Structures are given as C-alpha cells and as structure tokens.
Amino acid sequence: MLHILLVEDEPFLARVVKDSLEQRSYTVTHAVDGRKAYDLFVQGDFALCIVDVMMPQVDGFTLVRQIRAVDKQVPVLFLTARTDTADVMEGYGSGGNDYLKKPFSLEELFLRVAELLRRSNAGESSAGNACPIGRYRFLPQQQVLQLDGQPDTRLTYRETQLLQLLYDHRNDVLARRQALLHLWGDDNPYHARTMDVFITKLRKQLRSDASVQILNLRGIGYKLVC
C-alpha cells in the first residue's frame, strides 16, 4: 500500500482525512505540526505528502522547503484555508505540486491524490520523449525545462500542466475557458487570475529563445508559438 504523510493540526479534519484515505487502501501517517512531520519524513518512505499551511512549530511552506532540500520528487498537496493568490503562489514556489482549498469534498481530495500519484509513478521522462519548444526541451514527467548551457528550470505541477496544454495546442489557440476547466474544474475569476500569473511565469522561463512566444488573444485564449 502507498504510504501518505498527512500533516494537519486540526484533530477532527485529520481523523476524517486519515480514515477516508485508509478506506481507500492507503497507509497514512499523521503529524500534528511541521517539526514532527519533517522528522517522520526523513525516517520514512512516503509516496505523497498532504500538508496544511498554518501549523505550530513549523508552517507548511517552510516544511515543504525542508522536504524539497532532501527530496525533489515526492508529490506534495497543500490542504489549506489560505487561498489568496499570493499564498497560492508561495505554495507552488516552496515546492508544492497542487493546492486544495478548504472546505473541500473528500471525492475531490481522492482525485487530486490519485492524479499526483499517477504522475509520480509514471517515472522520469527520458530524453527521447522530451517535447521540443524552440531551443528548449520540455520534460513533463520531470517537470523540467532544459536549455543547452543553462541549469535546468524546475516547474511547479500547475506550470507543467499549463505548459503541456499549450504544447498540445502549439501554433494553435488554447481557449481560456478550456484551460481553466482542465486545470481547476471551473472558470471562476479567482482561478483565471491565478492562470494569468502562471502564464507570466512561463513567459519568463522561456525568454531565452526569442522564437518562442506565448500570445494572449484577448477574450479568446492563448497561443504558444514555437
């Protein structure tokens, strides 16, 4: 059974999530604060981490940075009531792969967990199936952009998903609503603003090749030109 580290200081929620995941045949270890969670992480072998942000001792963002210092690959799902755009961006920037807002449905949690584990279990992509974007090589499974002569650029889970969508529609239009529904399951303004932030970040990450552009087609969507 796959082993999940659950880091949550609210007892009732932690018990509900732990029991529900165990009913789905996962093994779950629960930690009530970030310091204890890190000790458990370095001693164990976890397939996934589910991490609250606002916790005693060590907050979730700091904990995930500590985890990333020793493990670059383990999937991390933030589970938190902090949903301002700045908080979401800090979550991805600290090394998180996904961000689930409280309150949430257990079915959505199960879907997010299954998707993160699926991507992780797919393993690292080989050079032979890298996606060419101008002079870049995009490795979706590794969540990496490569450019000769430069260090690899590590992408967040959402950046990877969005760039994969753009690549699949390269030199064609990716409808804005289609992207929102694919990535978040809805097209509300909050997620639309968040996606705009990711588009800006992707443009910066691709700026070393002037032949690569992400065009904004106002009121329609985006186009990756490469």
Side-chain angles (χ1 to χ4, degrees):
M1 291 187 292
L2 295 172
H3 196 178
I4 294 174
L5 176 61
L6 171 64
V7 191
E8 170 62 63
D9 66 330
E10 203 286 302
F12 177 75
L13 178 59
R15 183 167 65 252
V16 169
V17 171
K18 183 175 187 294
D19 290 349
S20 299
L21 288 170
E22 288 176 341
Q23 289 174 10
R24 295 276 177 136
S25 299
Y26 297 109
T27 298
V28 181
T29 295
H30 174 224
V32 296
D33 64 67
R35 183 173 298 169
K36 179 62 174 177
Y38 181 75
D39 290 341
L40 289 169
F41 182 82
V42 296
Q43 296 169 15
D45 182 16
F46 294 97
L48 177 83
C49 299
I50 300 175
V51 180
D52 188 20
V53 173
M54 300 177 65
M55 294 183 299
Q57 305 296 330
V58 176
D59 67 88
F61 294 150
T62 302
L63 169 63
V64 172
R65 290 187 182 95
Q66 293 173 341
I67 287 174
R68 284 288 174 247
V70 298
D71 189 321
K72 303 293 187 186
Q73 301 300 325
V74 63
V76 174
L77 170 63
F78 280 113
L79 197 66
T80 179
R82 290 179 57 171
T83 58
D84 290 343
T85 300
D87 292 323
V88 174
M89 297 309 299
E90 184 173 359
Y92 287 120
S94 68
N97 299 97
D98 204 355
Y99 205 104
L100 183 58
K101 298 182 294 183
K102 298 177 181 177
F104 58 89
S105 71
L106 288 172
E107 286 302 320
E108 183 175 7
L109 174 65
F110 299 150
L111 288 172
R112 300 287 188 96
V113 166
E115 173 64 12
L116 286 172
L117 289 170
R118 183 193 67 78
R119 291 177 60 87
S120 177
N121 291 337
E124 294 189 345
S125 178
S126 67
N129 55 13
C131 304
I133 301 177
R135 295 191 293 114
Y136 288 92
R137 292 193 307 164
F138 171 42
L139 286 72
Q141 294 295 339
Q142 291 176 286
Q143 297 180 208
V144 162
L145 267 177
Q146 294 180 334
L147 183 65
D148 289 344
Q150 295 189 15
D152 288 356
T153 299
R154 182 169 176 79
L155 304 174
T156 67
Y157 176 66
R158 279 283 189 252
E159 289 168 355
T160 301
Q161 283 190 307
L162 181 52
L163 186 54
Q164 181 70 69
L165 269 181
L166 288 164
Y167 180 80
D168 290 344
H169 293 78
R170 59 196 180 278
N171 301 315
D172 201 351
V173 176
L174 170 62
R176 184 177 178 82
R177 186 170 186 272
Q178 177 185 350
L180 287 166
L181 292 175
H182 181 89
L183 296 176
W184 284 281
D186 61 54
D187 59 351
N188 71 57
Y190 168 80
H191 288 145
R193 290 192 299 271
T194 301
M195 185 167 70
D196 288 338
V197 173
F198 286 127
I199 289 289
T200 299
K201 290 186 67 177
L202 287 174
R203 285 185 178 125
K204 290 179 180 178
Q205 289 157 342
L206 292 164
R207 63 188 173 188
S208 292
D209 185 349
S211 70
V212 177
Q213 298 182 68
I214 301 176
L215 304 179
N216 184 7
L217 308 176
R218 188 176 296 277
I220 301 174
Y222 304 101
K223 178 188 284 189
L224 173 63
V225 178
C226 57

